[in-house]
Amino acid sequence: MTLADHHSSAAWKLETQLVQDGRQRWNEGPAHVSIVQPIYASTTYLHGNMERLDQAFKSPAPGEKRSFVYARQGNPNATQLEEVLARAEGGVGAVAFGSGMAAIHAALLAAGAAPGAKILAAQDLYGQTIALLRQVFAPQGVEIVLCDLCCASAAERIRSEQPDIVFVETISNPLVKVTDLDAISSAAREVGAVTLVDSTFTTPCLLRPIEHGFDLVIHSATKYLGGHGDSTGGLVVSARESLLQSLRSYASLLGAMLSPFESYLILRGVKTLALRMERHCENALRIAHFLRDHPAVARVHYPGLPEHPQHEQARRLLAPGRFGGLLSFELKQQTRAAAFRFMDSLQLCAPATSLGDVHTLVSYPPISSHRDLSRAELQQAGITEGCVRLSVGIEDAEDIMHDLDQALQQATA
Ligand SMILES: Cc1ncc(COP(=O)(O)O)c(C=O)c1O
């Protein structure tokens, strides 16, 4: 019996699921079973006799337990992680990948990104996602249309473009714009487009895009899901069985599977996801207020602030009182030199390129996530020379603010 079938678990809240779904049950094995799944460091698996090996090669029918034959096709650690995330997101299943980018690549292929197809994508998608669309899919004859899908006319644009695939992020980087998922998914359904959303910034603790009509939900598990800055992975959760089978097939064909050890680390992270997200969000809201009132700061972008353009939308879409752990702000001195001085003066916050860690991380988008954009493109995206992104960690908020304050003073001295 899988945990999902276990009657008493059906009513568990997400916080309980994330802890309990990822542990082993005594009735699934012999007399003693470790509560934490061992790491299956094996390239291949024995099945007793040839008849059983032959059966193991077959793809499982929906709801059937998976059999393992060869590591590139999957492993028990990745499968457990997939089951936990699929249930957390309310999908029919999930596939784990070696990185967020591998997950995005396979999700696009599964959604039908083939020659002649048209993808309508948000213009402020993660920089490498845009590079993947332009450098890998466009040369193969996939039409890529980038536009603002956070604005009020997004649904109208979908109806007029008639794309095959629509691709958005729940919250954009670095200006943390919030996408109206309901408007996007209903317009996409009208034109028969498959909908993809990168939910890395929100996680199922803040938002479950399948409930808002999306077909595929993507995560860079390198970020909040793993959460400790020590593992790289990606996940795609599917709302539909046919897309799930296709994702599995691409994971194996592309050799993009997540390894047993990384799966173990990410599942370990997922158990504390709900607690960490609470703290990330609480800290970020306090720090957004602190920065808004700081004399060296011109502007703060955070959906939890009432002046944020999509504040009401964020309140409607996200878990009550939770607006994520990401924010960005603009220094009053709008120069690269001032931003560098600020980042060089930090002592607690780390000037490092990632997000969603327990550690507070600070990045300068023009040299990291948005490095490939020209000055004009940066300007068009609203990313100024004084713009700094903060991924607020789970340290004490006062300690983070103290560090930001002293670095801001140094930067403006
Ligand atoms: C929103 C978002 N999606 C996807 C990715 C890619 O994930 P990975 O670095 O795990 O390949 C990133 C990486 O920063 C990201 O920020």
Side-chain angles (χ1 to χ4, degrees):
M1 191 196 288
T2 67
L3 189 60
D5 304 322
H6 201 276
H7 182 67
S8 62
S9 70
W12 282 346
K13 299 276 191 302
L14 180 65
E15 289 78 355
T16 311
Q17 285 174 29
L18 293 173
V19 175
Q20 289 290 329
D21 284 3
R23 79 163 170 90
Q24 308 239 94
R25 324 308 290 185
W26 70 268
N27 58 351
E28 283 179 353
H32 56 271
V33 173
S34 56
I35 190 161
V36 175
Q37 189 185 37
I39 299 170
Y40 284 75
S42 185
T43 53
T44 190
Y45 297 82
L46 301 167
H47 288 270
N49 60 45
M50 289 309 294
E51 204 54 55
R52 295 216 313 243
L53 180 60
D54 181 34
Q55 288 302 315
F57 267 109
K58 292 191 181 135
S59 304
E64 212 175 62
K65 257 208 161 333
R66 287 194 72 187
S67 251
F68 302 99
V69 177
Y70 180 61
R72 183 166 39 72
Q73 296 159 349
N75 65 73
N77 297 100
T79 298
Q80 194 165 24
L81 172 64
E82 290 165 355
E83 285 173 5
V84 173
L85 250 289
R87 185 165 172 207
E89 289 283 10
V92 296
V95 181
F97 293 87
S99 70
M101 289 309 297
I104 291 169
H105 184 206
L108 284 163
L109 291 172
K118 182 183 197 176
I119 302 177
L120 185 65
Q123 66 193 14
D124 38 20
L125 288 179
Y126 172 56
Q128 292 291 285
T129 305
I130 292 186
L132 177 75
L133 291 171
R134 284 181 171 159
Q135 292 172 33
V136 176
F137 286 98
Q140 289 172 9
V142 180
E143 188 185 349
I144 312 292
V145 180
L146 299 177
C147 69
D148 184 0
L149 290 176
C150 272
C151 64
S153 58
E156 205 35 60
R157 186 75 191 258
I158 293 170
R159 288 188 199 101
S160 67
E161 291 284 350
Q162 302 262 322
D164 300 290
I165 297 169
V166 177
F167 191 176
V168 295
E169 285 172 5
T170 51
I171 296 185
S172 77
N173 174 27
L175 300 182
V176 286
K177 293 188 212 157
V178 182
T179 309
D180 185 347
L181 297 189
D182 299 294
I184 301 277
S185 72
S186 62
R189 208 172 308 118
E190 279 173 39
V191 302
V194 181
T195 41
L196 274 63
V197 59
D198 184 329
S199 192
T200 299
F201 284 15
T202 35
T203 82
C205 296
L206 301 190
L207 177 61
R208 295 175 9 126
I210 290 175
E211 289 174 355
H212 297 272
F214 270 72
D215 296 311
L216 293 175
V217 182
I218 302 163
H219 290 280
S220 165
T222 314
K223 312 298 190 308
Y224 289 107
L225 301 186
H228 292 72
D230 56 6
S231 48
T232 303
L235 275 133
V236 186
V237 182
S238 177
R240 293 200 248 143
E241 194 60 46
S242 56
L243 289 171
L244 180 66
Q245 295 309 333
S246 180
L247 283 167
R248 286 230 169 90
S249 161
Y250 282 120
S252 172
L253 289 173
L254 299 170
M257 276 302 299
L258 189 62
S259 78
F261 185 58
E262 299 286 296
S263 303
Y264 163 85
L265 283 176
I266 293 167
L267 186 58
R268 183 178 149 119
V270 164
K271 289 177 190 170
T272 57
L273 179 66
L275 262 183
R276 286 187 284 106
M277 287 312 289
E278 262 181 54
R279 182 63 168 256
H280 284 297
C281 294
E282 274 169 29
N283 277 0
L285 188 59
R286 281 187 68 185
I287 290 165
H289 281 109
F290 160 77
L291 288 171
R292 188 178 60 176
D293 298 337
H294 200 284
V297 173
R299 189 166 172 204
V300 178
H301 303 272
Y302 185 63
L305 294 177
E307 63 268 31
H308 185 279
Q310 290 102 27
H311 176 64
E312 283 312 315
Q313 194 160 286
R315 279 165 55 106
R316 180 174 61 76
L317 277 176
L318 305 179
R322 309 245 183 271
F323 299 97
L326 263 293
L327 60 88
S328 60
F329 61 95
E330 291 168 35
L331 297 171
K332 270 201 183 134
Q333 278 186 32
Q334 286 280 8
T335 63
R336 181 172 289 220
F340 278 21
R341 264 199 316 278
F342 164 72
M343 292 181 65
D344 282 340
S345 306
L346 292 165
Q347 285 167 8
L348 180 154
C349 307
T353 303
S354 191
L355 60 100
D357 273 9
V358 289
H359 321 102
T360 295
L361 302 174
V362 186
S363 79
Y364 185 59
I367 65 154
S368 52
S369 54
H370 293 68
R371 194 179 181 90
D372 295 338
L373 266 60
S374 66
R375 202 173 262 266
E377 285 176 314
L378 282 172
Q379 213 167 23
Q380 201 199 350
I383 301 166
T384 62
E385 284 281 288
C387 179
V388 175
R389 187 192 76 191
L390 204 58
S391 168
V392 179
I394 62 165
E395 305 94 338
D396 179 86
E398 300 275 339
D399 287 338
I400 302 170
M401 290 188 278
H402 186 266
D403 190 38
L404 293 172
D405 184 40
Q406 65 79 24
L408 283 167
Q409 286 183 34
Q410 305 244 11
T412 50

